[in-house]
Amino acid sequence: MRNTTTFKELIQALLDGATEGISATKTLRIVGDQLIHYNTPIAERFDGKVLVNNSRYSLTTGQLQKQIRSMVPEEQQVIVKRVPVNYNGLLRDFVESR
């Protein structure tokens, strides 16, 4: 796994298609199509979109979620909610059918 110094660089790496990476603090990492903060996925690439976990956990996670939303074009974002802390499945399971 490549060490990335900033959260922003790691978010960008996910958006650019990276499937692995870790922040210098080791609290944010890319595993496959997911960006995971501590033990909870906060973003996931899926079907040409970026699923953004909008559930609230901590101030730092909230700041990361805001940064992700600002870096992903609005038409590519799908907001998911009510994801439990330490959830280790796919965010696509929380996409509400339209």
Side-chain angles (χ1 to χ4, degrees):
M1 257 187 212
R2 177 183 142 225
N3 267 356
T4 303
T5 51
T6 68
F7 290 159
K8 185 175 182 177
E9 289 173 342
L10 197 59
I11 294 166
Q12 190 60 56
L14 177 83
L15 300 178
D16 291 342
T19 57
E20 61 179 35
I22 193 162
S23 66
T25 62
K26 300 189 180 357
T27 59
L28 187 68
R29 65 189 188 282
I30 298 172
V31 177
D33 289 327
Q34 290 188 327
L35 184 65
I36 299 171
H37 189 231
Y38 288 96
N39 296 313
T40 307
I42 58 171
E44 179 179 306
R45 290 185 304 250
F46 176 66
D47 200 24
K49 304 277 186 187
V50 177
L51 309 181
V52 181
N53 176 355
N54 209 37
S55 306
R56 292 288 169 214
Y57 307 107
S58 69
L59 183 59
T60 302
T61 303
Q63 291 168 339
L64 284 168
Q65 291 163 318
K66 182 178 179 180
Q67 192 168 25
I68 293 164
R69 288 191 307 272
S70 75
M71 293 173 70
V72 176
E74 200 168 315
E75 63 275 6
Q76 287 186 318
Q77 291 181 36
V78 176
I79 303 297
V80 297
K81 299 177 182 176
R82 296 184 288 283
V83 178
V85 69
N86 297 325
Y87 178 73
N88 64 357
L90 301 172
L91 290 180
R92 61 192 77 165
D93 296 339
F94 290 85
V95 174
E96 295 177 10
S97 41
R98 297 174 192 246

